Amino acid sequence: VILTVTLNAALDITYQVDTHQPGHTHRVRTVHTRPGGKGVNVADVLTQLGEPVHATGLAGPDVDLPDFVPITEPTRRTTTILTPDGTATLFNEPGPHVTAGEWATFLDHYDSLAPHAHVVVLSGSLPPGIPTDAYTQLINRTTTPVILDTDGDPLRHGLTAQPALIKPNQHELQRLLGRTPRLPHDCHELGVPVAATLGPAGAVLSTPDGCWTARPPRPVTGNPTGAGDAFTAALARGLTDRKPWPDILTDAVALSAAAVAAPHAGAYNPTLYRELTRLVDVKEG
Ligand SMILES: Nc1ncnc2c1ncn2[C@@H]1O[C@H](COP(=O)(O)OP(=O)(O)OP(=O)(O)O)[C@@H](O)[C@H]1O
Ligand SMILES: [Mg+2]
């Protein structure tokens, strides 16, 4: 089973609008609301794939996430404004304050779940009150491979605990390196396997066994929010099944592109996924 951890869960709200102009009043065409946060998105994609998954984390009393450790403060909202051309504008609330006692309860809960997992996925930002080295603590308590998908200081700290794989996007990688990344060269110096995602341009996978680049056959229009989480879901499944690295990368690029075609995070378009799996171009180097 794959275990996903979401310390900063969210109530995801997607507004579909015809146009998006700052300073104007907008008619909202459709509203979609779901419990989210990056690890929840990863778990939802794995469930759609038919892969055994267990989702945990911290959640407030106002959102239905079974097996999350309850916290007192309400869950944050993440609002996506989506236009028909696939432009997504996001408003992410900072998140509730988590107490030291709630974090300690989570660590106990995590210790009861992690030994049963084949792969652990740690995703997203840390809510206020959680120590910056939270992911380092979790990785150090885990004997199975851990995939880390986060940003800034939590990512910098987490790297010191040697996760099996990290999944930065271009901006996260730039912040981590402190300069514009030169790929694949710059990934080597991070000392852990890196799957760097590049939006519609695909992704680069750098490991001690080699380096591969893969791109989707064409850009997909839709909702790009959560494409990275679908990518991470494919990585987790690939590590669980011990697939070869280039196969894992091909699958992740196809699945994440198919996730763009689904209207909200945590889902993919299965027809497009099947089609793209045959068309993704993967190259060594
Ligand atoms: N427009 C697109 N067309 C085709 N594939 C895409 C497109 N956008 C993203 N992808 C696929 O999704 C992967 C992840 O995208 P991206 O780098 O934007 O992740 P991200 O910023 O981590 O996303 P998020 O954190 O919102 O889940 C890419 O590597 C690519 O394979
Ligand atoms: Mg991401």
Side-chain angles (χ1 to χ4, degrees):
V1 63
I2 294 164
L3 177 67
T4 74
V5 173
T6 311
L7 297 177
N8 210 358
L11 196 60
D12 265 351
I13 301 160
T14 306
Y15 279 173
Q16 286 196 312
V17 295
D18 294 334
T19 61
H20 180 199
Q21 293 169 278
H24 287 248
T25 299
H26 299 79
R27 170 187 290 275
V28 177
R29 289 284 167 203
T30 66
V31 184
H32 184 270
T33 307
R34 63 181 278 275
K38 297 203 157 288
V40 175
N41 299 341
V42 172
D44 285 355
V45 169
L46 287 167
T47 300
Q48 193 182 343
L49 284 168
E51 191 70 21
V53 60
H54 193 100
T56 191
L58 296 162
D62 49 346
V63 43
D64 181 27
L65 285 166
D67 213 35
F68 275 53
V69 168
I71 56 170
T72 311
E73 289 199 6
T75 307
R76 72 193 171 116
R77 287 158 300 184
T78 52
T79 304
T80 303
I81 315 291
L82 187 66
T83 52
D85 66 355
T87 306
T89 306
L90 273 71
F91 297 87
N92 292 341
E93 296 181 12
H97 187 272
V98 178
T99 66
E102 289 165 344
W103 172 237
T105 305
F106 177 77
L107 287 175
D108 282 345
H109 187 57
Y110 180 81
D111 288 345
S112 74
L113 296 174
H116 305 289
H118 297 100
V119 169
V120 173
V121 179
L122 307 176
S123 297
S125 57
L126 300 175
I130 294 279
T132 308
D133 70 347
Y135 288 136
T136 316
Q137 293 184 39
L138 294 179
I139 296 165
N140 284 335
R141 305 162 91 94
T142 314
T143 53
T144 43
V146 176
I147 302 175
L148 179 63
D149 177 10
T150 187
D151 194 4
D153 286 337
L155 175 56
R156 213 163 284 124
H157 269 278
L159 270 183
T160 64
Q162 295 273 319
L165 186 58
I166 61 170
K167 194 228 77 69
N169 66 22
Q170 285 176 89
H171 310 290
E172 291 155 354
L173 192 59
Q174 171 146 5
R175 278 189 283 271
L176 186 63
L177 295 164
R179 59 166 189 274
T180 306
R182 287 164 301 157
L183 291 171
H185 174 267
D186 280 344
C187 289
H188 301 323
E189 74 184 50
L190 293 172
V192 300
V194 180
T197 59
L198 312 170
V204 174
L205 179 64
S206 159
T207 79
D209 308 321
C211 180
W212 296 269
T213 302
R215 46 168 61 242
R218 58 178 186 273
V220 175
T221 308
N223 185 357
T225 313
D229 303 326
F231 193 98
T232 302
L235 295 177
R237 181 173 67 165
L239 289 189
T240 304
D241 297 345
R242 299 171 191 274
K243 278 193 242 171
W245 285 119
D247 295 1
I248 296 178
L249 179 64
T250 304
D251 185 48
V253 166
L255 186 65
S256 55
V260 177
H264 46 79
Y268 64 91
N269 177 315
T271 313
L272 188 60
Y273 174 45
R274 267 194 302 277
E275 183 203 330
L276 293 180
T277 301
R278 288 177 283 111
L279 299 176
V280 169
D281 180 38
V282 58
K283 281 197 190 71
E284 180 144 27

